[in-house]
Amino acid sequence: MIRTAERLNTIQEYYFSKKLREVRGLMAQGKPIINMGIGSPDLTPSQEVLNAIQNAVLENGAHQYQSYQGLPQLRGAIANFYKKRFNVDANPESEILPLMGSKEGIMHISLSFLNEGDEVLIPNPGYPTYTSVTNLVGAVPTYYDLTEDNGWFPDLEALAKQDLSKVKIMWLSYPHMPTGASATKEQFVKIVDFAKQHDILLVNDNPYSFVLNDEPASILSIPNAKEVCLELNSLSKTFNMAGWRVGFVLGSEEHINAILKVKSNMDSGMFYGIQKGAIAALESTDEWFENLNAVYSERRELIFELADTLGCTFDRNAVGLFVWAKLPEGSVSSEEFIDNVLYTKDLFITPGTIFGSNGEGYIRFSLCITKDKIKEAIKRFD
């Protein structure tokens, strides 16, 4: 009998992989399930993006292996995007690395910097992949609390009192997933200083900056942040390109070269046509963002109505692709609540607990669903 690697004992099947299989089973039985769980944009990329990939497939060399570092034009477009949208200077030759989705970057960064036994600070609640990847590479997840009372930002004074001698990486995601909380410039300054004081590599996962957010921000805008910071970003949410798998990481030349060592041994470059489409996306005008947010704003107002119907409370100023809502006082657990709604109203909502223990008592709605479907969901509670 061939046994699987012991590292598989440290992780479980991704929640959405398992739960959506259950949802599909209910749909196969004829249940009219409305899925408000996952953040996979249902809108399409711009026509300029689609034209770019269509035209690219006819170009010479389009079907050959591509550079591990991506096209120079793509890195240039990323640099221009960061300068225009975040006022961040990044050298396209040495401080930017395109990725096949930012999720890939979480693994590459972890493989590049973590040794077995190193500790990793992970937000609770936060993206579950931070934990699973940490376990897969043999490092140790150490959770830091995020709470509504503290604006979903870490208590750095409390953290500093802990033994941080083994901590190598600290994961952030602002705008925060799943709560939609933003970090101010002052908060970014404080956490960069914290990382410098404790020799920690700070990684901000930043794919939601342009969704319903009037003040997009990058941690790399803080002076000298590149000394201790990396930032991941993605085209998935901002440009409706989730299935294209385009992301990138920015940081110092030293840090980027370390990640490139891993990446160059893991793939053979991103498809040329996808890179050309990504360039077109990054060159989008302000009108693109305005139109995108107009759609999501209308949907969010309806989600607010649904959350009110369920007796939930929420922050109307939160940003991003989701609505994070607190269950009514005295409610059943988050998972029991969403299962009750699933089986009685044919509506799938994400329980806050999949993001950590501090997600108990909360649920998360996705905005990746049409207004008509949201209105139908509301009617089911009449």
Side-chain angles (χ1 to χ4, degrees), residues 14 16 20 35-42 177 208 236-237 242 296 321-322 350 364-369:
Y14 193 48
F16 284 116
L20 291 179
N35 184 352
M36 293 183 170
I38 196 164
S40 179
D42 60 313
M177 203 289 291
Y208 296 99
S236 295
K237 318 299 184 182
Y296 283 137
L321 204 56
F322 307 101
T350 302
R364 191 195 73 174
F365 301 87
S366 169
L367 301 182
C368 300
I369 184 170

Side-chain angles (χ1 to χ4, degrees), residues 193-204:
D193 287 344
F194 172 85
K196 289 180 178 179
Q197 291 168 14
H198 298 281
D199 295 320
I200 295 171
L201 178 63
L202 199 58
V203 188
N204 188 43

Side-chain angles (χ1 to χ4, degrees), residues 310-358:
L310 293 173
C312 297
T313 54
F314 46 86
D315 180 5
R316 286 183 171 270
N317 296 317
V319 306
L321 204 56
F322 307 101
V323 170
W324 180 252
K326 189 173 185 178
L327 293 175
E329 195 71 32
S331 178
V332 296
S333 71
S334 296
E335 294 196 19
E336 186 176 349
F337 185 92
I338 70 104
D339 277 343
N340 287 341
V341 172
L342 176 61
Y343 298 130
T344 63
K345 304 296 183 182
D346 297 320
L347 178 63
F348 174 54
I349 306 166
T350 302
T353 45
I354 75 165
F355 305 105
S357 59
N358 287 342

Side-chain angles (χ1 to χ4, degrees), residues 43-239:
L43 303 171
T44 61
S46 70
Q47 191 59 50
E48 289 81 2
V49 170
L50 298 177
N51 291 343
I53 188 172
Q54 289 171 339
N55 295 334
V57 298
L58 300 177
E59 294 184 29
N60 291 332
H63 308 291
Q64 296 175 346
Y65 286 125
Q66 300 299 312
S67 165
Y68 300 110
Q69 295 172 279
L71 293 171
Q73 301 97 308
L74 175 56
R75 284 182 273 115
I78 295 167
N80 292 338
F81 182 83
Y82 255 70
K83 180 62 177 178
K84 179 179 180 180
R85 302 294 175 182
F86 296 118
N87 197 28
V88 168
D89 291 306
N91 187 333
E93 297 300 318
S94 58
E95 296 183 328
I96 295 171
L97 183 62
L99 303 167
M100 293 180 187
S102 58
K103 193 172 186 179
E104 175 196 63
I106 297 170
M107 174 61 82
H108 288 348
I109 291 168
S110 298
L111 286 170
S112 301
F113 293 98
L114 294 174
N115 293 313
E116 189 171 347
D118 284 342
E119 294 183 8
V120 179
L121 288 173
I122 296 172
N124 175 14
Y127 187 32
T129 297
Y130 305 144
T131 294
S132 57
V133 167
T134 297
N135 285 325
L136 282 171
V137 302
V140 181
T142 302
Y143 299 98
Y144 63 89
D145 288 325
L146 300 180
T147 64
E148 187 172 358
D149 290 343
N150 204 43
W152 305 106
F153 192 78
D155 184 337
L156 298 178
E157 290 184 9
L159 265 180
K161 295 175 182 177
Q162 299 180 20
D163 179 5
L164 302 175
S165 59
K166 294 183 179 179
V167 174
K168 196 76 167 290
I169 288 177
M170 180 176 185
W171 289 101
L172 300 176
S173 65
Y174 289 104
H176 183 245
M177 203 289 291
T179 69
S182 297
T184 65
K185 183 175 182 179
E186 291 72 22
Q187 287 174 320
F188 274 153
V189 168
K190 288 179 180 179
I191 205 162
V192 169
D193 287 344
F194 172 85
K196 289 180 178 179
Q197 291 168 14
H198 298 281
D199 295 320
I200 295 171
L201 178 63
L202 199 58
V203 188
N204 188 43
D205 193 6
N206 187 16
Y208 296 99
S209 275
F210 297 94
V211 180
L212 297 173
N213 185 13
D214 293 332
E215 298 181 358
S218 166
I219 200 167
L220 297 181
S221 66
I222 304 305
N224 302 314
K226 289 177 192 170
E227 295 174 8
V228 292
C229 293
L230 291 166
E231 183 157 283
L232 286 167
N233 216 313
S234 166
L235 305 193
S236 295
K237 318 299 184 182
T238 303
F239 299 106

